[in-house]
């Protein structure tokens, strides 16, 4: 489940990793959208928006500078909250493809007929995701925590309440596709390990990090 923190560590800005193909090839939204919902739900950090929200705020400020705002519209200089930390969300690998079995295809070709066609049509589906979260101190540029997450299709029974709630709030394929749910579960595991290691999780809460599931091959 999504961890719940006993205290907030500070403010955090969330960024995507450098390789967009890791999520675009599986038709997923950028992972920072998922992490925003996850961090907000956990209560471990306050979030500062450096994306769409900041752009919209900048437009409002530009309107104020050019046209003037109503009195007591307090959007002057020196009010933007600084981020204490940057959380970078990376999908190292996410395999949601269906591929035909080479062995089955070969045997099916040799046998031919209806039986051969059935064997040749056998497909194997291996779904798994590896994710990484890194937390960097803005003032010192020191990376203070790096955690990995892993989930596979046979782990979808775990943490259902957590990832359905978070994924459903985000959309972008994280709530209505198997690979999206697997990536979500992998990020929840990495985030749980991170905030637990930082001493932010309430002792005995349901959000403590679980042992990494065994990889399947």
């Amino acid at each position: 489940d999504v961890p719940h923190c006993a205290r907030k560590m500070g403010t955090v800005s969330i960024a995507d990793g450098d390789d967009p193909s890791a999520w675009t090839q599986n038709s997923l939204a950028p992972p920072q959208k998922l992490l925003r919902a996850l961090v907000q739900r956990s209560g471990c950090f306050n979030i500062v928006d450096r994306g769409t929200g900041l752009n919209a705020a900048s437009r409002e400020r530009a309107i104020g500078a050019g046209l003037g705002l109503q009195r007591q519209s307090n959007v002057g200089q020196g009010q933007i909250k600084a981020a204490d930390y940057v959380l970078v969300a990376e999908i190292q690998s996410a395999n949601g493809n269906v591929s035909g079995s080479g062995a089955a295809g070969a045997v099916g070709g040799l046998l031919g007929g209806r039986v051969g066609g059935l064997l040749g049509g056998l497909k194997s589906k291996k779904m798994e995701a590896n994710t990484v979260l890194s937390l960097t101190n803005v003032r010192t540029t020191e990376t203070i925590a790096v955690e990995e997450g892993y989930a596979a299709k046979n782990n979808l029974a775990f943490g259902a309440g957590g990832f359905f709630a978070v994924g459903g709030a985000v959309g972008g394929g994280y709530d209505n596709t198997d690979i999206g749910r697997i990536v979500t579960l992998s990020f929840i595991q990495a985030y749980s390990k991170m905030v637990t290691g930082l001493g932010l999780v309430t002792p005995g809460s349901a959000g403590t990090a679980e042992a990494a599931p065994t990889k399947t091959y």
Side-chain angles (χ1 to χ4, degrees), residues 15-26:
D16 297 316
D18 295 330
D19 184 10
S21 66
W23 57 88
T24 57
Q25 66 185 0
N26 287 294

Side-chain angles (χ1 to χ4, degrees), residues 13-159:
S13 173
I14 303 172
D16 297 316
D18 295 330
D19 184 10
S21 66
W23 57 88
T24 57
Q25 66 185 0
N26 287 294
S27 301
L28 298 175
Q32 67 168 289
K33 295 186 66 176
L34 173 66
L35 266 295
R36 284 183 62 83
L38 175 55
V39 173
Q40 185 71 41
R41 183 177 173 86
S42 72
C44 303
F45 299 89
N46 289 318
I47 304 172
V48 291
D49 194 324
R50 295 296 185 258
T52 303
L54 179 60
N55 293 335
S58 297
R59 287 196 298 271
E60 291 298 313
R61 288 173 173 272
I63 291 171
L67 302 176
L69 297 175
Q70 293 179 343
R71 292 180 180 179
Q72 299 180 344
S73 298
N74 193 16
V75 291
Q77 295 293 319
Q79 298 182 66
I80 295 179
K81 182 76 172 178
D84 300 311
Y85 305 96
V86 174
L87 180 67
V88 179
E90 298 182 88
I91 302 175
Q92 283 194 325
S93 63
N95 183 359
N97 297 322
V98 180
S99 58
S101 168
V107 173
L110 289 173
L111 291 177
R114 182 178 179 186
V115 174
L118 290 172
L119 285 174
L122 288 177
K123 295 179 182 295
S124 61
K125 195 167 190 177
K126 180 183 179 183
M127 285 192 174
E128 59 183 359
N130 294 82
T131 58
V132 177
L133 291 177
S134 58
L135 188 69
T136 299
N137 186 309
V138 171
R139 292 174 178 82
T140 66
T141 70
E142 177 188 14
T143 299
I144 61 174
V146 178
E147 294 291 351
E148 297 181 354
Y150 172 81
K153 188 175 182 181
N154 61 339
N155 303 125
L156 284 181
F158 297 100

